[in-house]
Amino acid sequence: MREFIEKMLESIRKSDSEIYEIMMSEVLRQEKSINLIASENFVLDDILACNGSILTNKYSEGYPMRRYYGGCENIDKLEQLAIERLKRLFGAESANVQPHSGTQANMAVYFAFLSPGDTVLGMELNSGGHLTHGSKVNISGKYFNFVPYGVDKKTGFIDYDNVRKLAHEHHPKMIVCGASSYPRIIDFHEFKKIADEVNAYLMADISHIAGMIIAGLHPNPVEFADFVTSTTHKTLRGPRGGVIMCKKEYENKINRAVFPGTQGGPHQHTIASKAMCFRNAFSKEFKEYIHDVVKNCSSMANEFISLGMNLVSGGTDNHLLVLDLSNMRITGRELQERLDSANITTNKETIPDDKLGPQITSGLRIGTSAITSRGMNENDCKTIANLIYLSCTDFDSKKSYIVDIVEGLTSKYPIYL
Ligand SMILES: Cc1ncc(COP(=O)(O)O)c(C=O)c1O
């Protein structure tokens, strides 16, 4: 086992055998399975080290040089460093690195610039939007009047004419763009034009595509959007957390909305690992990694198509693809369960106009960030696509074959062992 991981586990084993058992099982699960969850990744040891560091001991409510606690002189430097790196990475005027998660980042923007009942345009869940973009089961959909827009049902691409029509009809105070499960480039410039036509704020949630933006494989919304939110744990390959970037004129309102508006003390151990993650993201290696993620996804997509499977929007421009299973005589849930039992981890996903609910679904979302982090390449991606195809068509007789191939691939590309 990698020395760093081994030391960490040994220390846990000595103090708490129950946690150790669970942790060890999870190490093996991650090691032995092919992780195709588009929102997950494997962080580098420097990120793990910061996240598990003594910085967790420090309370630091407030912002650099304006804290409510003493003893923040080192923390101030740390948080300022994270802010400066993030601003430089995306070319942003202002940044807040305190949100505990992507959800917290989005809530803070809403809290800063919306009042309960305000109208907002957000992408519907079935088209790939996120819960925090106005779902009825989320506080965003309960407190604000979200009007959903979606993709063109035939093409699977965002229907910008419809977004424009809805904007002129409903006069939203804010338009939210960005998605959890949209495989295509998002035209932030077009969203900005629409927002300007109706005098709405524009918020871009780049949680999934942040890595592609840094690598130059996706347009950067920072010049167009009033607010840009992101998670740091998906394609950015950093710690679990969120960030907000905005124009300088909004900085004070955003900062107040994060603290004291919606959060308490910042997690400085996570802010240290965010700063590390931003530093890593400047590197040539990170950009090469993201190019490989996209190449891998595109090669998997092409293989699915050659096997006769349908993809929402017919393909992918980024790190994820969505299988439309409606012609495969299997639901998203069934396929996810079959794959789970063969150590391939995925998630069921609704597709545009899905007749089945979110618990069953007609789709499956697949991402290549995590497998690329462990070194898998385009040929491996073709192999994996074939395993998924066999899991749809001939699972009972092919299961042991699939399990063997998975075992071979995960042994060839170790993470911890
Ligand atoms: C587009 C988008 N926004 C926000 C979030 C929420 O992030 P978190 O799970 O960190 O709250 C996600 C997570 O999947 C997401 O995909």
Side-chain angles (χ1 to χ4, degrees):
M1 189 177 294
R2 241 165 57 203
E3 200 188 335
F4 181 80
I5 305 291
E6 192 167 8
K7 273 195 186 150
M8 204 174 66
L9 286 167
E10 183 55 16
S11 146
I12 295 168
R13 190 184 66 77
K14 282 186 188 145
S15 62
D16 189 330
S17 62
E18 285 170 290
I19 297 288
Y20 172 77
E21 293 293 326
I22 294 169
M23 190 85 82
M24 201 56 214
S25 303
E26 180 59 12
V27 164
L28 292 177
R29 188 197 67 79
Q30 291 186 16
E31 185 72 34
K32 299 284 176 199
S33 59
I34 292 179
N35 180 5
L36 299 175
I37 296 195
S39 46
E40 294 184 5
N41 214 327
F42 298 108
V43 299
L44 305 177
D45 286 355
D46 54 5
I47 306 277
L48 282 180
C50 284
N51 236 43
S53 71
I54 51 93
L55 294 167
T56 196
N57 298 336
K58 188 70 197 101
Y59 241 112
S60 55
E61 284 177 346
Y63 289 97
M65 312 307 285
R66 289 176 288 127
R67 305 284 187 185
Y68 290 81
Y69 289 80
C72 287
E73 59 273 23
N74 303 314
I75 293 300
D76 280 355
K77 283 189 203 147
L78 171 71
E79 188 169 340
Q80 199 55 48
L81 182 64
I83 290 170
E84 294 309 324
R85 284 182 182 174
L86 178 61
K87 281 173 22 183
R88 203 149 51 83
L89 198 54
F90 287 93
E93 289 177 20
S94 170
N96 187 308
V97 295
Q98 292 192 4
H100 300 325
S101 73
T103 297
Q104 294 297 111
N106 291 350
M107 291 309 127
V109 173
Y110 301 158
F111 187 64
F113 289 92
L114 300 175
S115 302
D118 276 348
T119 297
V120 186
L121 247 56
M123 193 157 173
E124 64 183 5
L125 222 50
N126 275 8
S127 288
H130 187 254
L131 284 170
T132 56
H133 299 181
S135 161
K136 287 288 172 221
V137 297
N138 183 262
I139 194 170
S140 58
K142 286 195 194 293
Y143 282 22
F144 308 109
N145 173 35
F146 264 85
V147 176
Y149 63 83
V151 295
D152 181 303
K153 306 287 184 262
K154 281 206 192 81
T155 64
F157 283 66
I158 292 173
D159 184 346
Y160 294 94
D161 290 341
N162 186 242
V163 178
R164 175 169 276 107
K165 185 166 153 283
L166 290 171
H168 283 270
E169 242 169 65
H170 296 276
H171 298 285
K173 189 156 174 195
M174 184 182 287
I175 298 179
V176 176
C177 58
S180 284
S181 185
Y182 184 66
R184 295 301 188 174
I185 300 281
I186 298 172
D187 189 345
F188 293 123
H189 191 194
E190 192 60 25
F191 269 110
K192 170 66 174 161
K193 284 194 233 160
I194 298 171
D196 281 349
E197 283 164 23
V198 297
N199 202 20
Y201 291 119
L202 181 64
M203 176 179 121
D205 178 345
I206 58 167
S207 290
H208 268 267
I209 53 174
M212 272 66 75
I213 291 170
I214 290 164
L217 295 178
H218 194 291
N220 184 348
V222 159
E223 68 170 302
F224 303 118
D226 297 292
F227 323 107
V228 176
T229 60
S230 184
T231 54
T232 46
H233 48 272
K234 297 185 172 83
T235 51
L236 269 183
R237 204 161 59 176
R240 192 155 292 280
V243 294
I244 305 172
M245 291 171 274
C246 65
K247 308 267 182 232
K248 190 76 187 162
E249 63 187 291
Y250 304 129
E251 181 178 278
N252 286 340
K253 267 190 141 179
I254 288 289
N255 284 350
R256 280 203 304 274
V258 174
F259 174 85
T262 52
Q263 290 192 171
H267 296 177
Q268 293 296 347
H269 53 299
T270 306
I271 289 179
S273 25
K274 284 176 185 172
M276 261 306 178
C277 142
F278 304 148
R279 194 202 55 173
N280 292 345
F282 282 109
S283 68
K284 188 165 147 275
E285 289 74 20
F286 180 78
K287 288 172 188 120
E288 283 168 2
Y289 157 68
I290 293 289
H291 274 83
D292 288 344
V293 168
V294 173
K295 256 197 300 184
N296 279 348
C297 198
S298 147
S299 114
M300 207 185 277
N302 289 338
E303 190 67 11
F304 280 126
I305 291 167
S306 72
L307 290 164
M309 295 184 78
N310 290 335
L311 303 185
V312 172
S313 85
T316 174
D317 298 325
N318 58 26
H319 65 305
L320 69 86
L321 59 87
V322 182
L323 285 174
D324 173 349
L325 302 168
S326 23
N327 67 334
M328 298 299 292
R329 287 195 271 150
I330 188 166
T331 66
R333 182 159 106 182
E334 282 164 338
L335 182 54
Q336 180 194 309
E337 284 169 0
R338 282 185 193 178
L339 292 169
D340 251 337
S341 74
N343 300 328
I344 299 177
T345 316
T346 59
N347 66 279
K348 58 185 178 292
E349 187 73 43
T350 47
I351 59 170
D353 229 3
D354 206 324
K355 303 285 178 285
L356 308 175
Q359 294 300 334
I360 310 286
T361 82
S362 307
L364 193 84
R365 186 182 68 162
I366 289 174
T368 50
S369 314
I371 56 169
T372 309
S373 285
R374 62 192 292 180
M376 292 189 194
N377 59 31
E378 289 173 276
N379 273 338
D380 302 319
C381 286
K382 286 184 190 154
T383 304
I384 294 168
N386 278 280
L387 299 184
I388 294 173
Y389 174 75
L390 286 178
S391 303
C392 293
T393 55
D394 202 6
F395 188 63
D396 289 340
S397 67
K398 292 290 190 319
K399 182 172 174 186
S400 62
Y401 165 78
I402 296 169
V403 169
D404 283 351
I405 303 280
V406 170
E407 163 73 32
L409 277 172
T410 54
S411 310
K412 186 172 169 196
Y413 300 103
I415 326 167
Y416 309 119
L417 299 185

